[in-house]
Amino acid sequence: MTESGASQARARIGRTRGVALALLACALLAREGQAYSYSAAGAEPLIDAREATLAALEAKDPAAARKASEAARAELDYLDQHFGTELGKALDAALAAGDTKRVDRIYLEGFTTEVRRRIAAAGENLKDYQSAKTLVVRSKRFLDLVSPQLPEQRRASAQKALADCLAALGNPGVFGVGAAPPDPAAFERAAAELLRSLTAP
Amino acid sequence: MSGRTSGAAAAALALALLLGYAFWLLGHPASLPSDDALFFVRAVTRFSVLELSPHFPGYPAFVLAARGIDALQHDPARSVFLTGALAALSIPPALYFWVRGAGVAPGFAWVAAVCALFQPSLPGVAVSMLSDPLGIALALWCLVAVQRERFGVGGVLMGLCVAARPSCAVLALALFAALLALRRAALWTCALGFGAVGAAAAAFVLAADGLAYFAEGVRFTAGHFEIWGRGAGAGSWLRDVLGLAGGAVNAAVLAGALGFALRSLQARALATAAALCMAVAYAVWILCAQNPDSARHAVPLLFLALGIAAIGLGQSESRGLAASVAALLFASTLQSFVSSVDRGQRAAPLERASAELAGRAGTLLITQWGVEWMREQHPELRIFDPYYAASARLAAQSETKGEVLRLSTSPLAGPWVALRELPARFPGEKSLTLYALRADPG
């Protein structure tokens, strides 16, 4: 076989693999409609945009992927402004390059930053039980999606630190009965451990 | 033999049966069949609906009962297990007293009780570590109290029933409707008992979560109607519900007995009317707004139908025919119990799946069943919830080093190869299969 013939054959094999992978993708989670998860309820623009963007890229529809990622724009802009990230620009570049894995990594970095954002806000609102509790609970949804990317030890320590954050919030009681005050020092320790588990190199 | 002697003999026999059954049932391990059970176990030590400990609306009566047992046991999982199992064991006696209280011959009450004990669905809900058996038992004991005109006690029991299993609120509405129509004077006494329990339950959940409880309620309720509670019509329920009844033959016998019984049922008797209202209201609820993935939600209907059938048969003037139908129901129930219940004592499929996953550090697992349980048990695994389908697919496709496994409640084909079948122990429990992704899809 000549060199050009060999490269054509390789291209054919590449195309065949591409088709096989596409078929595999369809078959992988064909029964996903049955799935449900209590934590999944409630809109989270960044999570919803990630799923829609990845689905569009999988369907080889870059225009739909860009449109889907626009739903995350406000969240990403907020994170970029307040947490020193450059997620918006990085996502645009990854979408332009059609690099699905890079797009996913950027969304995951966004999720990690969302955890930082919510835990920081909870720490500032420890006296407002309802806000603090909701913020920490919602950060768990992002943590669960980031967890598979973490090394085992940090996966376990992040979940434990989040549970410690929740415990440090105390509880409001009814007319003072059964109330437990928040513990700012314990919250600070747990929050620091959570962020270390998520972001350590 | 005199009537009193034969009655004592029947009672002794029934007690021996119940004790033998209890011995077998309580011999099962406290093994978690689902994430919902995990949430209840967490709630024994720390109650917060926002943390899914347990999930909304909080099931305070069930959690408090489990905590009561845990004060003696010091084992949250075993305490949740015992709460459900003991409640389930009280269902047959409740059915006996309700049917007997309707004034029918004792034989029909015994048949109802034994059929309840050997309902194929009973062991599954008993060991599910969920609040269903406590809710059903309290609803039946409430009927007994109402029948004896103890309306305050009936209200308290119905309040506890709803606090143990909030979907039983439709049963409470049905009870109040029956009281409104037939015994308006008793309505307030009943409502007072119900309200007192309701206020205590509300105080318990609000003490833990405050007003954030309502925010979680809005989120969870939206999720219920948009994601997981689409009504029985949205799923392939019929097969599962027939399985729960011990198969199509037993379901047909029960339906036939019920049909025959309804012809002679004295439906204006208060407890009977209340039970009929409850059955209709509950049927509408599960058809329109219940999670189609869990056939166990239909179980209260089976026990209500059994009681109504036994009372109607007992009130029939064709005594010989009614006795024959009761005997047929009895034989059919026993046969379906023997044929559909795994009488070995084993762990739940989810826990067996967890054991299969031991020693597979780094493996990528996709599961829509027991996601939280797996995350807690296996921090060494990378776990994906297929609710987030596109990202789970991308992770599975990108995996180059380790293996990719999928735990599923439904059969999968294509690139998935079954590694281990994990069959359910009882009708109504989920069977699981652990699949591996074939390395070479072509």
Side-chain angles (χ1 to χ4, degrees):
Chain A
M1 197 183 285
T2 62
E3 198 172 323
S4 69
S7 74
Q8 276 173 7
R10 273 199 298 275
R12 260 202 312 279
I13 291 168
R15 274 197 298 277
T16 314
R17 275 197 187 145
V19 171
L21 273 177
L23 287 174
L24 168 68
C26 295
L28 263 177
L29 298 174
R31 296 293 301 260
E32 70 220 18
Q34 282 204 347
Y36 68 92
S37 180
Y38 289 149
S39 61
E44 281 294 355
L46 210 51
I47 294 175
D48 299 341
R50 177 206 190 194
E51 291 305 315
T53 309
L54 293 181
L57 288 173
E58 190 180 317
K60 309 268 181 259
D61 187 346
R66 270 195 301 279
K67 194 174 167 207
S69 70
E70 278 308 307
R73 185 63 59 189
E75 291 285 303
L76 295 177
D77 286 350
Y78 181 91
L79 297 177
D80 287 347
Q81 278 169 26
H82 294 87
F83 292 89
T85 51
E86 292 191 336
L87 297 166
K89 210 192 291 177
L91 185 62
D92 288 341
L95 283 169
D99 186 340
T100 307
K101 285 184 191 172
R102 214 165 97 205
V103 167
D104 193 37
R105 275 200 301 276
I106 293 157
Y107 272 114
L108 287 170
E109 195 187 333
F111 291 0
T112 303
T113 316
E114 284 283 6
V115 176
R116 279 171 62 198
R117 169 189 178 181
R118 281 155 209 243
I119 293 294
E124 289 161 11
N125 289 284
L126 283 182
K127 286 185 183 158
D128 177 358
Y129 174 82
Q130 179 169 354
S131 303
K133 181 90 173 193
T134 308
L135 285 162
V136 179
V137 165
R138 291 204 177 153
S139 72
K140 185 178 185 303
R141 197 168 157 202
F142 290 101
L143 175 62
D144 285 340
L145 294 173
V146 171
S147 275
Q149 319 299 328
L150 300 175
E152 180 186 340
Q153 288 303 322
R154 278 166 43 194
R155 197 178 299 146
S157 64
Q159 290 288 357
K160 174 163 187 324
L162 192 117
D164 291 344
C165 282
L166 288 167
L169 296 177
N171 56 276
V174 170
F175 304 118
V177 178
D183 182 343
F187 185 86
E188 202 175 320
R189 275 196 306 276
E193 175 58 26
L194 173 57
L195 299 185
R196 197 165 36 248
S197 302
L198 278 175
T199 54
Chain B
M1 195 159 48
S2 73
R4 184 172 290 182
T5 318
S6 63
L13 185 64
L15 195 63
L17 258 182
L18 189 64
L19 285 176
Y21 190 99
F23 185 74
W24 166 73
L25 191 69
L26 299 178
H28 282 82
S31 166
L32 277 77
S34 64
D35 269 352
D36 290 13
L38 171 68
F39 299 151
F40 282 124
V41 173
R42 286 178 178 170
V44 172
T45 46
R46 180 176 166 81
F47 186 91
S48 170
V49 168
L50 270 89
E51 296 174 27
L52 297 179
S53 173
H55 46 294
F56 185 83
Y59 309 81
F62 183 69
V63 171
L64 286 171
R67 284 185 172 184
I69 293 179
D70 194 56
L72 306 170
Q73 285 272 317
H74 307 298
D75 179 348
R78 188 73 192 161
S79 302
V80 169
F81 172 87
L82 282 175
T83 308
L86 294 174
L89 288 169
S90 82
I91 289 174
L95 216 63
Y96 171 83
F97 287 115
W98 169 33
V99 176
R100 188 76 183 97
V104 302
F108 291 101
W110 288 123
V111 167
V114 176
C115 284
L117 191 63
F118 289 105
Q119 271 304 304
S121 60
L122 187 65
V125 292
V127 305
S128 66
M129 300 175 69
L130 301 177
S131 64
D132 303 60
L134 187 58
I136 299 165
L138 286 164
L140 293 173
W141 284 108
C142 166
L143 283 175
V144 174
V146 166
Q147 190 177 49
R148 295 179 178 200
E149 310 221 325
R150 305 282 298 273
F151 295 108
V153 176
V156 168
L157 288 169
M158 187 46 83
L160 288 171
C161 169
V162 175
R165 180 127 200 97
S167 63
C168 288
V170 288
L171 300 183
L173 286 176
L175 172 69
F176 292 142
L179 286 172
L180 190 66
L182 297 171
R183 194 73 64 88
R184 198 167 293 194
L187 183 62
W188 294 112
T189 317
C190 195
L192 198 66
F194 183 84
V197 175
F204 179 73
V205 293
L206 291 176
D209 281 325
L211 297 177
Y213 175 82
F214 296 108
E216 170 63 4
V218 170
R219 187 197 74 88
F220 193 93
T221 307
H224 178 88
F225 287 104
E226 288 163 13
I227 302 177
W228 56 84
R230 292 159 294 151
S236 56
W237 240 41
L238 185 62
R239 197 194 61 217
D240 292 348
V241 172
L242 288 179
L244 209 59
V249 173
N250 196 44
V253 171
L254 179 57
L258 189 62
F260 179 76
L262 285 174
R263 291 169 52 221
S264 43
L265 188 73
Q266 291 160 19
R268 287 193 66 80
L270 183 58
T272 308
L276 279 170
C277 288
M278 285 177 176
V280 171
Y282 200 80
V284 171
W285 163 254
I286 55 174
L287 281 170
C288 297
Q290 205 38 284
N291 184 344
D293 286 346
S294 296
R296 65 184 164 80
H297 290 127
V299 171
L301 273 185
L302 282 177
F303 289 101
L304 285 171
L306 197 57
I308 293 167
I311 291 171
L313 289 173
Q315 290 169 342
S316 169
E317 286 177 4
S318 324
R319 303 197 70 161
L321 186 56
S324 307
V325 172
L328 178 65
L329 183 60
F330 176 68
S332 163
T333 304
L334 276 186
Q335 190 278 331
S336 62
F337 181 87
V338 171
S339 63
S340 65
V341 171
D342 180 347
R343 291 175 300 286
Q345 291 171 358
R346 288 186 300 156
L350 186 62
E351 199 149 308
R352 280 180 272 148
S354 175
E356 286 290 329
L357 291 164
R360 292 176 186 262
T363 291
L364 191 157
L365 173 70
I366 301 170
T367 178
Q368 94 265 31
W369 194 258
V371 188
E372 273 291 309
W373 165 251
M374 288 300 181
R375 282 190 182 129
E376 185 180 291
Q377 292 296 305
H378 295 286
E380 77 281 10
L381 301 181
R382 296 158 56 213
I383 296 172
F384 286 83
D385 179 345
Y387 179 77
Y388 306 101
S391 51
R393 274 198 298 267
L394 177 66
Q397 283 173 266
S398 309
E399 184 61 33
T400 48
K401 289 176 280 180
E403 59 183 341
V404 178
L405 300 181
R406 172 99 197 256
L407 187 63
S408 180
T409 52
S410 49
L412 300 176
W416 296 105
V417 183
L419 277 187
R420 183 77 66 188
E421 304 279 348
L422 304 154
R425 298 167 293 177
F426 311 109
E429 192 171 62
K430 289 277 180 203
S431 291
L432 298 172
T433 308
L434 186 64
Y435 293 92
L437 185 62
R438 226 179 13 226
D440 172 20

